[in-house]
Amino acid sequence: MSGFCSTQTRSVTGRVMECHRTLANVDEVETEVVEIEAKLDKLVKLCSGMIEAGKAYISANKLFVNGIRDLSQQCKKDEMISECLEKCGESLQEIINYHM
């Protein structure tokens, strides 16, 4: 009978140890998941920032091209300057269109 109790005790002890290892592994995985979630949240925020920066960049480009066109219209009396500004504005607009 003592052999049976000893075997049963070792079996229960082994199961308890296995449960502790499993719980430790679960805690480890849970920690990794929390870290991954935090990094993904940060990445989403960075991506949103890039999108907003891109929108601001596009808007600034359009305003800049329109400013060049306005200046070109203002300088109609000086044909060379007006033509140069028109070409510059057209070229910038082509660049903007190409990147969109």
Side-chain angles (χ1 to χ4, degrees):
M1 264 223 169
S2 67
F4 175 74
C5 285
S6 176
T7 305
Q8 193 175 22
T9 302
R10 273 187 261 144
S11 177
V12 169
T13 303
R15 288 185 184 141
V16 168
M17 289 176 65
E18 189 177 317
C19 282
H20 285 296
R21 281 189 292 253
T22 301
L23 287 174
N25 287 342
V26 167
D27 286 342
E28 217 175 280
V29 169
E30 188 175 305
T31 301
E32 288 179 17
V33 167
V34 169
E35 289 173 0
I36 289 171
E37 284 178 338
K39 288 180 181 183
L40 285 172
D41 284 343
K42 182 179 178 180
L43 193 59
V44 167
K45 288 177 185 174
L46 290 170
C47 184
S48 295
M50 287 177 56
I51 290 170
E52 291 305 313
K55 288 178 182 178
Y57 177 76
I58 289 169
S59 177
N61 275 338
K62 288 179 182 178
L63 291 171
F64 185 72
V65 169
N66 288 338
I68 290 175
R69 287 179 178 159
D70 286 346
L71 185 58
S72 170
Q73 292 300 313
Q74 187 69 33
C75 297
K76 279 291 184 189
K77 294 177 187 170
D78 189 331
E79 191 175 318
M80 185 180 86
I81 291 177
S82 179
E83 186 178 314
C84 188
L85 288 169
E86 281 182 35
K87 286 181 181 181
C88 180
E90 289 170 6
S91 296
L92 286 172
Q93 188 62 53
E94 282 183 39
I95 291 170
I96 292 168
N97 291 342
Y98 178 77
H99 290 288
M100 292 178 124

